[in-house]
Amino acid sequence: MIIKRKRDAEELLSNFEIVAHYDKEGNKHYIVFEDFVRNGQCTMMKYDDTSFSIHGKGESYCDENEQFISKDELASYLWKHRKAVNQLLRSVQKESVS
């Protein structure tokens, strides 16, 4: 799965658990990708079918808290950051083939 259209970003959110890691302690699925806009990393988390959040961290910044956003806002966020997300998705695909 690669994001080529906005619809692909929505599909990724519907299939988030397939590419995401699972944190038992936090009871959430998550992915981490490069944030080229702010020179750091972004962690995207899913707690249940309707609860998504993002958190950014870099050498010169760290978001104070997770920002909970709607699925529609998150699809737009994924579209905006598709270059980095696609890099992550390609690496996940390579791992699953190996």
Side-chain angles (χ1 to χ4, degrees):
M1 172 180 282
I2 300 297
I3 299 173
K4 295 180 183 176
R5 303 167 304 188
K6 287 188 179 184
R7 177 81 180 118
D8 296 332
E10 294 167 5
E11 283 185 38
L12 174 60
L13 293 177
S14 296
N15 299 303
F16 193 75
E17 292 84 354
I18 294 171
V19 297
H21 297 283
Y22 185 71
D23 174 9
K24 279 186 187 179
E25 195 172 300
N27 196 28
K28 62 187 169 192
H29 287 87
Y30 69 95
I31 61 172
V32 179
F33 55 89
E34 294 299 313
D35 184 345
F36 296 122
V37 176
R38 298 194 305 168
N39 263 347
Q41 291 185 322
C42 179
T43 303
M44 183 177 296
M45 295 152 276
K46 180 180 181 182
Y47 290 93
D48 53 44
D49 285 340
T50 60
S51 184
F52 288 94
S53 69
I54 55 174
H55 181 268
K57 184 176 182 180
E59 285 188 33
S60 62
Y61 73 95
C62 181
D63 294 345
E64 191 171 323
N65 296 307
E66 292 176 48
Q67 178 184 357
F68 285 86
I69 59 177
S70 72
K71 198 171 182 178
D72 290 338
E73 291 171 315
L74 195 52
S76 294
Y77 188 86
L78 285 170
W79 177 252
K80 180 179 175 185
H81 292 87
R82 67 187 176 277
K83 177 182 175 185
V85 174
N86 283 340
Q87 286 179 347
L88 171 69
L89 293 173
R90 286 184 182 102
S91 71
V92 168
Q93 287 175 344
K94 284 182 185 177
E95 289 174 13
S96 67
V97 172
S98 300

